[in-house]
């Protein structure tokens, strides 16, 4: 675990590129700045992680979806929440997850602006620095803080419609609903018990693997949107307090049932 943790912390040197006063104006400026920051972080992250696990392959597609071939893979996001980074907002991090046969087995998440490191090891618990994390124990969805968000720009009309409908439904069912990116930052909050539940309709691997392991090792439940054990080929994702899952899934199921009428 020490080498992956050191790798994300070293890649956190992109903090030097963070400007609280930054206000990009055009899509071209946004795209080029994100690409430059990703490259700067990955130039540190990749050699360090390759040394830690030389036999692991690399998931090159930051917006890749679905299963990977069997074996070990590094699934990383060099600037998770890059859109916040370039707008001077603090909601971004660096992530690295070792995935074995499509199951996350080790994850490291570093928040350069706070200096906090979140780690999880399959069977070894979830941690913020030296403090063990515990997911929420709430049992009533009406008392829950929940959230969702986009996986990537241009999700498509069907997914965008489902996101909007799910937010409307959860506003009636839960206490507080937030819609934000990136997913990892919400999943960190779920693992720490600050947020009770997170769902997402899209399956971008780099945005889910790290947080999925963190929540699971913090005692939370991670599933697909039909209640099945989550897999990269699931049609959606939910993570949170174990006792809230059934009620939340029922809310989302009513949306899809209504769409089919």
């Amino acid at each position: 675990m020490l080498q992956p943790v050191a790798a994300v912390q070293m890649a956190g040197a992109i903090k030097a590129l963070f400007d609280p006063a930054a206000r990009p104006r055009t899509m071209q400026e946004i795209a080029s700045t994100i690409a430059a920051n990703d490259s700067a972080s990955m130039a540190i992250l990749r050699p360090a992680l390759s040394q830690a696990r030389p036999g692991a392959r690399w998931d090159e597609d930051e917006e890749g979806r679905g299963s990977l071939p069997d074996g070990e893979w590094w699934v990383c996001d060099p600037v998770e929440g890059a859109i916040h980074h370039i707008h001077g907002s603090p909601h971004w991090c660096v992530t690295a997850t070792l995935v074995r046969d499509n199951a996350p087995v080790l994850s490291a998440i570093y928040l350069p602006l706070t200096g906090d490191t979140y780690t999880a090891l399959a069977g070894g618990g979830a941690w913020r620095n030296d403090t063990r994390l515990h997911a929420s124990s709430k049992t009533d969805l009406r008392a829950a803080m929940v959230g969702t968000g986009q996986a990537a720009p241009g999700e498509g009309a069907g997914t965008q419609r489902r996101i909007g409908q799910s937010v409307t439904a959860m506003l009636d069912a839960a206490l507080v609903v937030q819609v934000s990116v990136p997913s990892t930052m919400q999943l960190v909050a779920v693992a720490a018990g600050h947020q009770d539940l997170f769902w997402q309709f899209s399956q971008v691997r780099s945005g889910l693997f790290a947080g999925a392991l963190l929540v699971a090792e913090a005692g939370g439940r991670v599933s697909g949107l039909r209640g099945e054990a989550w897999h990269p080929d699931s049609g959606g994702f939910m993570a949170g307090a174990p006792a809230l899952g059934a009620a939340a899934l029922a809310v989302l199921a009513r949306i899809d049932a209504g769409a089919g009428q």
Side-chain angles (χ1 to χ4, degrees), residues 23 31 107 133-134 139 168 183 199 204 219 233-234 254:
R23 300 293 185 271
S107 66
L133 299 178
H134 299 281
T139 60
T168 298
S183 53
W199 77 94
V204 173
D233 289 322
S234 297
R254 288 197 295 271

Side-chain angles (χ1 to χ4, degrees), residues 101-118:
D101 299 335
N102 284 291
V105 295
L106 177 158
S107 66
I109 302 166
Y110 182 55
L111 281 59
L113 295 185
T114 66
D116 288 320
T117 303
Y118 292 81

Side-chain angles (χ1 to χ4, degrees), residues 167-237:
V167 169
T168 298
M170 284 293 185
L171 284 168
D172 284 335
L175 179 64
V176 173
V177 182
Q178 69 164 321
V179 182
S180 66
V181 295
S183 53
T184 299
M185 295 297 283
Q186 288 201 58
L187 289 168
V188 163
V190 171
H194 301 306
Q195 180 172 322
D196 303 300
L197 192 81
F198 171 81
W199 77 94
Q200 186 166 281
F201 294 111
S202 301
Q203 292 283 83
V204 173
R205 293 185 295 261
S206 65
L208 294 178
F209 270 130
L213 183 61
L214 200 73
V215 172
E217 288 298 322
R221 183 172 185 266
V222 179
S223 75
L225 295 181
R226 295 182 301 276
E228 78 281 14
W230 178 72
H231 188 275
D233 289 322
S234 297
F237 176 92

Side-chain angles (χ1 to χ4, degrees), residues 91-186:
H91 303 294
W92 58 275
C93 58
V94 180
T95 77
T97 304
L98 184 65
V99 176
R100 182 178 301 136
D101 299 335
N102 284 291
V105 295
L106 177 158
S107 66
I109 302 166
Y110 182 55
L111 281 59
L113 295 185
T114 66
D116 288 320
T117 303
Y118 292 81
T119 57
L121 185 65
W127 304 80
R128 180 183 64 245
N129 306 322
D130 296 325
T131 301
R132 188 148 192 173
L133 299 178
H134 299 281
S136 168
S137 60
K138 282 184 184 175
T139 60
D140 185 355
L141 186 60
R142 295 170 300 176
M145 298 178 63
V146 305
T148 189
Q150 298 169 245
E155 291 276 16
T159 299
Q160 291 169 349
R161 184 164 50 251
R162 290 178 82 196
I163 292 170
Q165 290 173 341
S166 71
V167 169
T168 298
M170 284 293 185
L171 284 168
D172 284 335
L175 179 64
V176 173
V177 182
Q178 69 164 321
V179 182
S180 66
V181 295
S183 53
T184 299
M185 295 297 283
Q186 288 201 58

